[in-house]
Amino acid sequence: MRARTRSSRRVVVLATVATMGAGLLAGCADDGGDKASDDSSGGGKGKTTITLGLFGTMGFKEAGLYAEYEKLNPNIKIAENVIERNENYYPALVNHLTTNSGLQDVQAIEVANIAEVTATQSAKLQDMSKVSGVDKSKWLDWKWAQATTKEDKTIALGTDVGPMALCYRTDLFKQAGLPTDPAEVGKLWAGDWNKFVSVGEQYKKKAPAGTFFMDSPGGLLNAVLSSQEEKFYDSSGEVIYKKNKAVKDAFNLTAKAAEQGLVQAQTQFQPAWDTTISNSKFATIACPPWMLGTLKGKSKPESLGKWAVAVAPKSGNWGGSFLSVPSNGKNVKEAEKLVAWLTAPEQQAKLFKVQGSFPSTPSAYTMPEVTGAKNEMTGDLNIGTIFAAAAKAAPVQVIGPKDQIIQQGLTDNGVILVTKGKSPEEAWETATKTIDNNLDK
């Protein structure tokens, strides 16, 4: 499994009454190195233009939030500069922060990069905890902690999160003699990823021909590791993935599932994997809210309504972003106000309804945009409450600056090899050698 970012996925659109669910594609733009001036941006004489540097489709414009804020603040004009993929956006952001030039008034940061920015660039960014109206208690504890330095400076405010559940095909489960009700399914593997693999063994006994229990070894490994408090780094910043028992246990469990033929020999988000979704070749997949959009985008119409969502054995998180304000910006105070407003619970709930970006503010979980959320892929199932429970239970996980390198090494150069005949020991050795070589670069 390759590390995925918002820019390289299709997002699910959720609705409270009508089931929507179309994936939105990100728009491509230049890196927005120069701030838009009041006149050139069309802001009009006397208006202040707030510029945002974003990646992918973050949905603020699509959800009408810019227009709403401009109506509430007639002296403000908002202009976003979007780069389609975070792998192109983030290196440019690091360069701008390092040189202290070319920054937008607001800069987005992907969760995979927040640890590195927090550790190395905090001096260049405003302390958002000191902004009027910002209250730490409104955010999930672990989300707030991800953007907070050891000196208790919070360099960005959380937008969305990716609470991990498990999506499954009810028709395939029924054919395999397994329950299909989400509550009953969740009980099958409650509290233990080993139980999940055991359910896979049950599935295989009566599985419809040509199908697998789970989509990929990387998907399983990522799900298990996402539920751990520590995986690749410890709280002091030391790389511990090779000596962390939780990592080795997750690797071995995934290897076991691969040896038993419970997972496909596929890498997530690659063309062959897309085809297996279209052809209904697997029964379960690790599933943050945005994954439903991926499933819809790759599925045939007859798959609509045949998926359901159950709680995972242990809660985790996959995805999410932050908004920061560079200290040398042209409009720092106005940018702080905008970020505080965009990340407030009310706006996060609106964003979820339109964009499928799950809120990082728990008070949004009682709002109708979340409590009534449904999706075309899962029919009448109320999915908002399931994802809300997962978000609240996710651990405060230590995120390291090179998490993506380690994760990709364990999957693309590790567990995937077991599906191709390598032993778990050989796969682990190959993965660790690849990772260590890349960490030394």
Side-chain angles (χ1 to χ4, degrees):
M1 184 203 77
R2 300 182 186 279
R4 308 308 297 177
T5 64
R6 174 194 307 279
S7 56
S8 54
R9 71 189 189 220
R10 291 175 63 91
V11 289
V12 58
V13 181
L14 300 164
T16 54
V17 181
T19 55
M20 298 168 67
L24 301 176
L25 292 176
C28 185
D30 60 34
D31 71 0
D34 297 326
K35 293 185 178 65
S37 67
D38 291 349
D39 293 335
S40 65
S41 69
K45 188 175 181 180
K47 288 192 175 184
T48 298
T49 298
I50 307 298
T51 57
L52 292 89
L54 310 176
F55 56 88
T57 303
M58 298 192 72
F60 304 123
K61 182 178 179 179
E62 292 77 3
L65 297 183
Y66 294 159
E68 184 178 349
Y69 190 81
E70 289 171 348
K71 186 176 181 180
L72 294 171
N73 300 271
N75 64 318
I76 296 296
K77 181 70 178 178
I78 299 172
E80 63 175 28
N81 295 278
V82 182
I83 295 180
E84 184 176 0
R85 303 178 69 85
N86 184 55
E87 48 261 52
N88 297 325
Y89 168 88
Y90 182 62
L93 173 60
V94 171
N95 180 60
H96 293 321
L97 286 169
T98 302
T99 61
N100 215 27
S101 64
L103 291 160
Q104 306 297 298
D105 292 316
V106 176
Q107 294 283 173
I109 305 171
E110 215 272 342
V111 65
N113 308 121
I114 192 64
E116 185 171 36
V117 174
T118 301
T120 64
Q121 303 289 347
S122 63
K124 309 289 181 65
L125 301 168
Q126 291 294 101
D127 187 347
M128 298 304 294
S129 69
K130 300 185 182 304
V131 175
S132 176
V134 172
D135 182 352
K136 173 182 177 180
S137 66
K138 291 182 180 179
W139 276 264
L140 292 162
D141 290 343
W142 56 268
K143 182 70 171 181
W144 183 272
Q146 288 176 335
T148 301
T149 69
K150 294 179 180 179
E151 295 74 32
D152 209 30
K153 177 180 181 180
T154 302
I155 66 162
L157 296 181
T159 55
D160 59 318
V161 290
M164 187 83 71
L166 286 167
C167 291
Y168 62 96
R169 285 283 298 239
T170 55
D171 55 337
L172 297 183
F173 265 46
K174 183 177 182 179
Q175 291 176 60
L178 295 171
T180 59
D181 177 75
E184 294 302 312
V185 170
K187 291 177 182 178
L188 293 176
W189 51 61
D192 189 346
W193 283 104
N194 288 283
K195 292 181 180 179
F196 177 73
V197 172
S198 295
V199 174
E201 295 169 356
Q202 296 177 47
Y203 175 85
K204 185 179 180 181
K205 292 176 181 178
K206 297 182 180 180
T211 68
F212 292 78
F213 180 59
M214 198 173 188
D215 69 301
S216 66
L220 176 56
L221 181 66
N222 181 50
V224 178
L225 291 176
S226 293
S227 65
Q228 302 298 320
E229 291 186 8
E230 287 187 346
K231 50 179 184 176
F232 307 145
Y233 290 75
D234 65 16
S235 58
S236 71
E238 179 186 354
V239 177
I240 62 168
Y241 83 96
K242 283 192 291 189
K243 61 183 181 182
N244 185 357
K245 185 176 183 298
V247 173
K248 192 62 183 295
D249 286 350
F251 190 94
N252 288 337
L253 180 63
T254 304
K256 175 184 176 182
E259 287 182 311
Q260 294 181 345
L262 305 183
V263 294
Q264 297 181 114
Q266 298 289 351
T267 299
Q268 287 187 320
F269 306 100
Q270 299 302 300
W273 179 80
D274 294 345
T275 300
T276 67
I277 296 176
S278 177
N279 294 331
S280 303
K281 291 299 184 180
F282 60 86
T284 67
I285 185 170
C287 193
W290 53 263
M291 184 61 81
L292 287 169
T294 300
L295 294 176
K296 183 179 187 303
K298 308 299 182 184
S299 295
K300 296 176 181 177
E302 54 264 33
S303 294
L304 294 178
K306 291 183 178 179
W307 287 90
V309 184
V311 295
K314 294 182 180 180
S315 294
N317 183 74
W318 183 9
S321 304
F322 299 80
L323 294 178
S324 67
V325 176
S327 298
N328 76 338
K330 181 180 177 182
N331 305 293
V332 172
K333 295 303 177 185
E334 289 293 352
E336 289 177 338
K337 288 171 58 178
L338 174 60
V339 169
W341 187 85
L342 286 173
T343 59
E346 295 79 8
Q347 279 62 256
Q348 291 205 31
K350 294 172 186 174
L351 192 62
F352 175 62
K353 178 179 179 180
V354 174
Q355 188 72 7
S357 299
F358 201 80
S360 60
T361 49
S363 62
Y365 303 163
T366 60
M367 296 177 183
E369 292 91 342
V370 176
T371 59
K374 296 181 182 180
N375 180 270
E376 277 187 293
M377 298 305 293
T378 54
D380 290 330
L381 179 65
N382 188 323
I383 60 175
T385 54
I386 296 173
F387 288 120
K392 291 178 181 178
V396 179
Q397 188 173 74
V398 178
I399 298 178
K402 304 300 181 183
D403 271 16
Q404 286 185 322
I405 291 175
I406 299 172
Q407 182 81 35
Q408 187 167 330
L410 291 174
T411 55
D412 292 3
N413 302 104
V415 287
I416 188 68
L417 300 179
V418 182
T419 66
K420 300 177 180 180
K422 295 289 186 181
S423 70
E425 294 76 19
E426 289 175 311
W428 176 259
E429 183 178 358
T430 300
T432 55
K433 284 182 178 179
T434 303
I435 292 166
D436 290 347
N437 287 336
N438 287 330
L439 290 180
D440 290 337
K441 291 180 181 179

